[in-house]
Amino acid sequence: MKEQIYLDYAATTPVDDDVFNAAKPYYTEIFYNPSSSHFLGQRAFAAVERARRQCADAINCSPDEIYFTSGGAESINWALGGVDGGIAVSAIEHDAAISKAEMLSKSGVSVSYIQPDKYGLISPQAVDGAVTECTRLVCVMTVNNIVGSIQPIKSLAAVAHSKGAMFFTDAVQAVNTLDIDVKDWDVDMLAVSGHKFYAPKGVGFLYVKRGVKINPLLVGGGQEKALRAGTHNVPAIVAMGEAIQKAKALRSQYVAHVRQVSTEFKNNLDCGRIIECHDKTDDILSVVFCGKNGYINGGRLSTALSVEGVCCSVGSACSAGSATPPNTLVAMGVQNADSAVRFSFGRNTTVEQARRAAQIVNSVVRRF
C-alpha cells in the first residue's frame, strides 16, 4: 500500500480527540432534546448554551449574537438571502456565495461584484466602486479558500458602512490562523464552519450583530429565536464549542507549524508556479503546473497524485467535479488557471510529509 499524505485540510479536518470525547456523552447518555422543558432536556439545553458562550468568546461577541447552523454554506446562504435589498459580493467568494448571488440576481435582486487585484486582494477602493444606492449588504470572505489571501476586513467594513450598507464576512477558513474580533472589525455578520477547525461536519454558526434584522431561514419551531427552526444537533454543537476554544488556544502554535511545513514543501518543490499573495495564510498554497508538452490539467494531475498517495485538490471540495477552474483564480487573472492544484496543510502534517509530498509532485509532473 502506498504512503498516504493528506494535503487537503482546507477541504476538511479530522475531529480532534479532545473534541470527540467532549461530544461523545451527548450521543448516548445526555441524548435529550434541548427544547424539552423537563430537567433532562434542560441538561442538553445547558450544554448548547455553554457551547454558544464558547463560540461567542472566540470571536468577541455576546452569546445572543450566535446562531447555530449546519455549516458554512448554510450560514452564507442565510446571510446573503436574509436581508432585503441589493448585495455586493467579491468575485473570489466561496461557491456558496457566488451561487446564492446568481440566484438572487435571477429573482430581481440588485447584485454587483467586487473585483480583486492580481494578488487576490479586495481593496477599500474596489468595495467603494461596487456599492450602489441599491446595495444593502457587502460580502467579502476573510481568508480565501483557494489561495489563502487575507482581506483587510476592518477597512472594508468601514467603507461599506460609510455607504449605508451592512458587512458580512465568510470566516470559514480563518479560525485556525487569525484572531477574529467582530467588535474590532465592526462586521454585521460572520460565518463559521466547525469541520474546518477539527470539529465534526454538519455544524457551524452565523454571528449576527445585535440590532441587525435578518429574515428567518427555517420556520416551524422556536429554536435560535425562531429564526432557524429544527432540533439542535447537540453533540456537534458541543464539539464545535470545544474545538473553537482549542483553536484559539493553539493559534500561535498552529501558525508557526503550518509555516514550517509550507516552507519545507515549497523548498523541495522544483516545478510549478506558486500563486503569490501580498498577505496570506501559510496553510493554503495553490500552484500552476507545466509539463514537457505544455500546461497540465489540474484535475488530471490531482488524480495522478492521488494514485501516488498525495491527496490534494483543484479547488473547493464543494465544487468538485466542475469542469471550470476556481472562480478565485479566474478573477485574479491567473494564466492557465485550469492547471492549478491546491495543497493545504494542518496540525497533523509533518515536515517529513511535506518534503516527501513535494518530491512525489516533482516526480509525477516530470512524467507528464
Side-chain angles (χ1 to χ4, degrees):
M1 183 176 181
K2 289 185 180 294
E3 174 187 14
Q4 296 180 351
I5 303 176
Y6 180 72
L7 298 183
D8 201 20
Y9 284 88
T12 197
T13 61
V15 177
D16 178 270
D17 288 342
D18 293 335
V19 170
F20 177 78
N21 289 332
K24 189 175 179 180
Y26 294 91
Y27 283 106
T28 57
E29 300 169 32
I30 315 172
F31 60 87
Y32 317 109
N33 190 324
S35 296
S36 297
S37 59
H38 52 67
F39 76 93
L40 291 176
Q42 291 307 293
R43 288 181 64 190
F45 176 79
V48 169
E49 295 310 301
R50 181 174 64 251
R52 198 185 305 275
R53 291 192 298 271
Q54 290 174 314
C55 293
D57 174 73
I59 66 170
N60 191 29
C61 71
S62 298
D64 64 351
E65 296 173 305
I66 297 290
Y67 294 83
F68 292 125
T69 67
S70 67
E74 182 183 310
S75 297
I76 291 166
N77 273 264
W78 189 7
L80 293 181
V83 298
D84 298 320
I87 59 174
V89 180
S90 95
I92 59 173
E93 294 300 295
H94 186 276
D95 289 339
I98 298 297
S99 297
K100 184 65 175 182
E102 292 172 349
M103 182 183 296
L104 290 171
S105 179
K106 290 177 181 178
S107 69
V109 174
S110 172
V111 177
S112 59
Y113 293 93
I114 311 164
Q115 297 301 320
D117 66 14
K118 64 180 181 180
Y119 298 107
L121 180 72
I122 301 293
S123 68
Q125 294 76 18
V127 171
D128 183 76
V131 174
T132 71
E133 61 182 12
C134 298
T135 305
R136 175 64 172 153
L137 181 71
V138 173
C139 167
V140 180
M141 70 196 319
T142 309
V143 172
N144 184 265
N145 60 312
I146 304 299
V147 297
S149 55
I150 303 172
Q151 306 303 333
I153 296 301
K154 185 175 181 178
S155 298
L156 303 185
V159 173
H161 293 153
S162 73
K163 306 278 282 189
M166 296 185 295
F167 190 88
F168 160 65
T169 186
D170 161 12
V172 166
Q173 293 290 354
V175 173
N176 291 312
T177 54
L178 300 185
D179 293 326
I180 299 174
D181 189 331
V182 295
K183 289 183 179 178
D184 180 58
W185 294 359
D186 196 22
V187 298
D188 299 285
M189 292 187 282
L190 178 144
V192 159
S193 184
H195 75 106
K196 305 295 187 177
F197 50 91
Y198 305 87
K201 301 167 185 64
V203 67
F205 68 78
L206 179 67
Y207 157 78
V208 181
K209 186 177 182 180
R210 189 179 297 154
V212 169
K213 302 298 182 184
I214 186 168
N215 297 324
L217 176 67
L218 297 172
V219 297
Q223 296 88 353
E224 301 306 289
K225 299 181 183 177
L227 294 177
R228 200 269 188 185
T231 303
H232 289 99
N233 185 351
V234 180
I237 289 171
V238 168
M240 182 170 62
E242 293 293 321
I244 202 167
Q245 285 295 307
K246 189 163 186 176
K248 179 181 178 181
L250 296 179
R251 189 164 291 136
S252 60
Q253 178 181 326
Y254 175 90
V255 169
H257 175 69
V258 294
R259 179 175 296 126
Q260 182 184 23
V261 297
S262 177
T263 300
E264 186 70 17
F265 181 83
K266 290 185 287 186
N267 286 347
N268 283 275
L269 193 68
D270 62 14
C271 60
R273 184 179 82 247
I274 296 172
I275 299 173
E276 301 290 351
C277 302
H278 285 316
D279 188 16
K280 70 180 295 296
T281 63
D282 290 304
D283 53 355
I284 297 175
L285 186 71
S286 282
V287 186
V288 175
F289 289 98
C290 183
K292 293 178 182 178
N293 300 313
Y295 284 92
I296 306 168
N297 177 270
R300 287 184 62 204
L301 179 55
S302 65
T303 299
L305 289 172
S306 178
V307 171
E308 297 301 321
V310 175
C311 297
C312 52
S313 67
V314 294
S316 167
C318 297
S319 60
S322 172
T324 59
N327 56 276
T328 291
L329 303 185
V330 175
M332 289 171 61
V334 173
Q335 296 297 311
N336 304 104
D338 59 352
S339 296
V341 173
R342 182 187 70 180
F343 304 93
S344 49
F345 314 100
R347 288 182 195 167
N348 300 337
T349 311
T350 66
V351 170
E352 176 55 34
Q353 284 179 330
R355 182 185 307 115
R356 180 62 185 145
Q359 293 168 350
I360 293 172
V361 173
N362 294 337
S363 175
V364 171
V365 170
R366 279 195 294 268
R367 290 210 305 268
F368 273 89

